[in-house]
Amino acid sequence: MTALQIVFWLSTVLLLYVFAGYPLWVMAMARWRPRPIRREAMTPSVTVVFAVHDGAAQLPARLANLASLDYPPELLEIVVACDGCTDDSAARCRQWGDSRVRVLEFPQRRGKAACLNDAVAIARGDILLMIDVRQRLAPDALRQLVANLADPSIGVAGGALCFEDPATGFACSVDAYWRYETLIRRCESLSDSTVGVSGALYAIRRALFQPLPDGTVLDDVLVPMRAARTGARVIFEPRAQAWDCPSDQPAQEQRRKIRTLSGNYQLLQLAPWLLSPRQNRLWFRFVSHKLLRLLAPWLLLAQACSSAALARDHLLCAVAFAGLLLAATLVLLARLWPGAGRWLPVRVSVGFFYLNLYAGWALVTFLRQRRLHLW
């Protein structure tokens, strides 16, 4: 076997494992080795925690949404950390007229992680509900999350991020990818634990929260993985929903996705124990779900080059190269005719292309700037 053939087969097998093999494995585990959750309706005291930078325009809707949650008002408090805001975010919170809202105002930007640490330090609730300022929570989202925490084995319960009206253009591809990701998280949860949650909505026992290192980007991965390290389960609750609007154009998604994917490299710096099978009981899932995806763009490049070189002599290589060309054509079609995004093969191809483009870009971004943006 030649070096080119080795490159082709290695890249092909790894790509198949990352995007099909691992999802099929967790689906099988969820079906044949499920770990039930003893859900029970309960109402512990809860502190809602979120940080905001120049979010005055979004805060009234966010606070109104929290006030509408189907949860006993006397058991709910809200801590808002205003991080170096240049608008009237803090004033709007104080003027809201709800004694449950507590405001931490920092004149200088310190970063989300530092703000969350200070907010949690003054929290009174037994459960922390971690959210972002942008998304709208379903009225029963909190009840659905805390019902899982009636099971003492559960440490973190993450909610489902849903998209409103992803009907056209690039938004269709974002929605298609997120449905795929949600399926994997659901199967991971049914069989043991997920390796991350959505920062838009998750609940954690306050006793399990550990202060975050300054500048942490992926708090929604580090927090649950630390909880899992103690032996607690991290589960996904699809009935607890947070609603958001997907990006309509790749440029809108680019900055957020590259920053998030770069955060995976930062995570390995901050918590190298994640790479240890002895210290990380979810090591196999973490590597398969998170780390190997970061290799995917380079595997695709290797597969494209090797299959192109071998296409004349090997039918399978020719088929693989033709498949890559077809996918690239569908991406180009979506650029020229946005309405084509309604067609499933186009949605999948566009989502797959941009996911891997951003993953490759994330490595370059991280190598150029090890200190990522605070927000």
Side-chain angles (χ1 to χ4, degrees), residues 3-26:
L4 272 177
Q5 289 175 318
I6 292 173
V7 170
F8 172 78
W9 281 109
L10 184 61
S11 59
T12 300
V13 168
L14 284 174
L15 284 168
L16 287 173
Y17 173 74
V18 171
F19 293 108
Y22 176 70
L24 288 172
W25 179 80
V26 291

Side-chain angles (χ1 to χ4, degrees), residues 45-322:
S45 58
V46 175
T47 298
V48 182
V49 174
F50 66 98
V52 61
H53 172 71
D54 289 350
Q58 298 168 306
L59 278 168
R62 161 50 76 215
L63 295 174
N65 178 227
L66 293 174
S68 70
L69 291 178
D70 176 22
Y71 205 80
E74 68 276 10
L75 296 175
L76 192 66
E77 73 166 349
I78 302 166
V79 179
V80 185
C82 297
D83 186 28
C85 297
T86 59
D87 59 13
D88 61 344
S89 293
R92 291 208 178 190
C93 291
R94 295 190 178 101
Q95 293 167 2
W96 185 250
D98 189 333
S99 60
R100 297 175 302 167
V101 178
R102 305 167 67 192
V103 182
L104 292 177
E105 185 174 9
F106 304 104
Q108 301 296 323
R109 290 191 69 178
R110 304 165 66 238
K112 181 182 178 181
C115 290
L116 292 180
N117 290 340
D118 288 344
V120 170
I122 67 168
R124 304 187 186 112
D126 294 326
I127 305 299
L128 303 174
L129 179 65
M130 315 294 284
I131 62 172
D132 287 334
V133 71
R134 188 174 70 249
Q135 294 83 11
R136 173 178 60 85
L137 307 187
D140 65 341
L142 179 53
R143 282 189 181 271
Q144 294 289 357
L145 287 180
V146 299
N148 296 282
L149 298 175
D151 187 330
S153 71
I154 308 300
V156 181
L161 179 61
C162 306
F163 291 123
E164 299 183 277
D165 193 29
T168 58
F170 184 68
C172 294
S173 299
V174 174
D175 183 62
Y177 162 72
W178 193 247
R179 289 177 184 272
Y180 165 78
E181 174 68 17
T182 297
L183 174 63
I184 296 174
R185 292 189 183 191
R186 186 167 189 171
C187 291
E188 287 178 334
S189 173
L190 289 171
S191 57
D192 186 349
S193 295
T194 67
V195 293
V197 293
S198 171
L201 176 63
Y202 70 95
I204 178 174
R205 300 182 192 276
R206 187 179 59 170
L208 290 178
F209 184 91
Q210 302 175 41
L212 294 161
D214 285 348
T216 299
V217 172
L218 296 185
D219 55 278
D220 52 3
V221 178
L222 184 55
V223 169
M225 289 302 290
R226 282 173 162 180
R229 192 181 188 186
T230 70
R233 288 179 66 186
V234 179
I235 62 98
F236 172 72
E237 175 50 74
R239 288 164 288 197
Q241 297 177 340
W243 292 87
D244 200 356
C245 294
S247 303
D248 289 327
Q249 299 295 329
Q252 294 175 335
E253 184 77 358
Q254 175 182 313
R255 182 178 181 275
R256 185 193 68 82
K257 200 65 181 176
I258 290 176
R259 180 178 180 276
T260 300
L261 289 166
S262 299
N264 285 286
Y265 295 105
Q266 182 207 48
L267 195 63
L268 299 180
Q269 283 188 323
L270 298 177
W273 58 268
L274 289 168
L275 294 174
S276 170
R278 290 186 177 183
Q279 299 182 65
N280 181 7
R281 71 178 189 85
L282 301 179
W283 176 84
F284 177 75
R285 296 179 181 221
F286 178 75
V287 171
S288 299
H289 192 163
K290 293 291 183 183
L291 297 191
L292 289 182
R293 280 197 191 177
L294 298 176
L295 290 178
W298 315 110
L299 294 173
L300 280 168
L301 183 61
Q303 185 193 51
C305 293
S306 58
S307 62
L310 297 169
R312 290 186 177 181
D313 301 319
H314 300 276
L315 178 60
L316 187 60
C317 295
V319 171
F321 187 62

